[in-house]
Structures are given as structure tokens and as C-alpha cells.
Amino acid sequence: MDQNQTSSTANMDENQRSAVAVGWWLVVSLLMRFLTFIFLLVSLIVLVTDSTVESVDIFGFPVKATDFYAYRYMISAITIGMAYTLLLVVLTIFHTISASPIGGKRVAYFEFYSDKVISYLLATGAAAGLGFSVEYNRNLGIDFFNVANAAASLLLLGSFFSALSSVLSSLNLPKRS
């Protein structure tokens, strides 16, 4: 009887250790995804509600962020990144609760490769916004571009946390022998 209890206790300890080993990176990944979403949300709010317009176009209309293609690309990258981050937050929460990934290997590979694509999309959106803001601010000196520069900086921080969660998603890949 002692041997049965000892082997079942050893199996329970092994299962608990594997659950803890699986759980820590899921929690950290979830934290990275929440931080990504928060930075993207704040960046979108700052960019869209920028009201420091000091100039008008040739027709007399005030200049908005959506008038520039670089900022349109930023807004598109932010919204795609937010939608993707919300999807992965739900999948990560489900994975944490159920202790098994939904969809198996296919979803693990989807998460791994799409994390790479989204982090690059966010980084290029931040680069487009920062490059445009710095160039036009240097030439025109308008405060509008300073606020858009802050939004692009927040997007860059969001892309950094997205890249970190991308690295953590590699831990979910199936082990190869």
C-alpha cells in the first residue's frame, strides 16, 4: 500500500510541477498582452483626440491626424494590433484555465507566427509615425506633431511588449525530438 501511495504522490507532485512550469509563462504572456493592449489603446486615444491644431490646409480646413497617410497607417496598425491582442488574451485565458491549448499544434503555430507579424506591424506603424512627426516638426514646428510623436512613442512601447509576448509564445510550441 505504501508503494502505491508513494507512486501516486510522486505522480501528483510531477503533475503539479508541470502545471506550475506551464503556468508561469502563460501568466507573464497574459501580462505582456495586457500591457500591449493598454499602450495601444492610449496611443489611439492620444492620436485621435489630438486637438492642438494650429494650421489649416490650402482650403482653410484644420489639419487632423487622419489627413496624413503615415498616421492613417498608425491608426490601422493600432486597431489591428488591438483586435489581435484581444483575441490572444481570450485564448491565453482559456489556455490558463483549461491547462491545455485550444486547437493543439495548429493554434500554437498560429500564435507564434502571427505574434511575429503583429509585432512587426506595430513597430513599422510606430516608425512611420515617429519618422513623419520628427521630419515635419523639424520643418514646421507645429505642436500637433509633438502630440502625434507621443502617440507614436506609446505605439513603439506597445510593439516592444508585443515582441516580448512573441518570444513567450515560442514556449507554447510543441516539443520536437
Side-chain angles (χ1 to χ4, degrees):
M1 185 102 174
D2 274 341
Q3 287 178 335
N4 289 339
Q5 286 179 337
T6 305
S7 65
S8 67
T9 305
N11 286 339
M12 285 179 20
D13 289 339
E14 183 69 29
N15 291 339
Q16 289 172 348
R17 274 187 254 138
S18 67
V20 169
V22 169
W24 73 266
W25 63 268
L26 284 174
V27 173
V28 173
S29 177
L30 195 60
L31 176 68
M32 291 298 121
R33 294 190 194 287
F34 277 129
L35 287 172
T36 300
F37 185 78
I38 294 299
F39 278 112
L40 294 181
L41 181 64
V42 171
S43 176
L44 183 67
I45 290 170
V46 167
L47 189 61
V48 172
T49 62
D50 186 8
S51 62
T52 57
V53 177
E54 294 180 1
S55 107
V56 292
D57 62 4
I58 59 172
F59 300 110
F61 295 109
V63 177
K64 300 178 291 188
T66 56
D67 293 336
F68 302 105
Y69 290 117
Y71 295 140
R72 288 181 190 176
Y73 181 75
M74 263 181 68
I75 291 170
S76 300
I78 291 169
T79 54
I80 291 169
M82 286 175 65
Y84 174 77
T85 302
L86 282 178
L87 172 71
L88 265 291
V89 162
V90 169
L91 288 176
T92 305
I93 288 172
F94 182 76
H95 186 175
T96 305
I97 291 171
S98 70
S100 65
I102 185 172
K105 293 179 183 180
R106 288 177 290 181
V107 173
Y109 283 115
F110 167 75
E111 179 184 359
F112 178 70
Y113 290 115
S114 60
D115 270 345
K116 304 286 184 242
V117 170
I118 294 298
S119 65
Y120 291 145
L121 176 72
L122 295 176
T124 58
L130 284 170
F132 185 79
S133 297
V134 168
E135 186 65 28
Y136 273 88
N137 194 22
R138 184 172 52 111
N139 292 331
L140 300 176
I142 300 173
D143 285 339
F144 169 79
F145 295 109
N146 289 332
V147 175
N149 197 11
S153 298
L154 290 169
L155 178 56
L156 185 62
L157 286 173
S159 72
F160 174 72
F161 286 113
S162 177
L164 286 178
S165 66
S166 169
V167 170
L168 290 173
S169 69
S170 67
L171 297 174
N172 194 23
L173 291 176
K175 305 291 185 247
R176 295 184 180 180
S177 56

